[in-house]
Amino acid sequence: MNKAVLIILFLISNISFAQKPCEYATNVTDSIGTYKLTKEYMIYEKKFAGNSSYIFYSMALTDGTPTLNIQLIKKSKEFMKANCFDKNSKLFLQLNNGKIVTLLHIDKENCGSLLRDSEGYDNRVLAGIFMFVKGSIEDLKSSPVNLMRIKYFTDIEDYVVQKEFKSEMNNEVYYPETYFMDNLRCIEK
């Protein structure tokens, strides 16, 4: 009888700690090299007074080099200032354990684009690619993130990273605080 109880407990613990399979938007290996890109994941959403802001992450592994792709989307009928990424831009992630992880933007200037939709809203879309510095992946695997700071070319913005939220845009539940803990394994060599 004790063996049956132990087996059941073992199976339950394995099921509860099982990881979700990695979901890729692109996963290619050919004669040129290997490229993996995870699906986009919403990290931040804010809707207030007719204005909306969204931040999405995805991670890529290009021939053994891991990167974080970030996409910022702002929607408004009012004036929106343009933020730009340049070679000095950085992404700072404050972890629950007190450490701060810094990711460096690739050496490419980008101020995004402004698109007007059929409802008269301006949509500003900005994308950037950030490199993980040595040791940062191990830190991000070990602790949840509670704050994100983006250093643009001319500005700095802070975002509180929530434990979980239900998106008003698509009614899905997201867990941004543990994004790296749950997904870094998908871009490991």
Side-chain angles (χ1 to χ4, degrees), residues 140-152:
L140 288 166
K141 281 181 174 179
S142 68
S143 180
V145 176
N146 60 39
L147 185 72
M148 175 178 63
R149 172 174 282 177
I150 302 175
K151 180 188 176 293
Y152 299 102

Side-chain angles (χ1 to χ4, degrees), residues 128-162:
I129 300 172
F130 290 84
M131 308 284 288
F132 294 94
V133 296
K134 188 174 183 173
S136 63
I137 289 179
E138 291 74 23
D139 287 336
L140 288 166
K141 281 181 174 179
S142 68
S143 180
V145 176
N146 60 39
L147 185 72
M148 175 178 63
R149 172 174 282 177
I150 302 175
K151 180 188 176 293
Y152 299 102
F153 177 62
T154 58
D155 198 8
I156 294 175
E157 288 187 357
D158 291 336
Y159 301 90
V160 174
V161 178
Q162 297 177 336

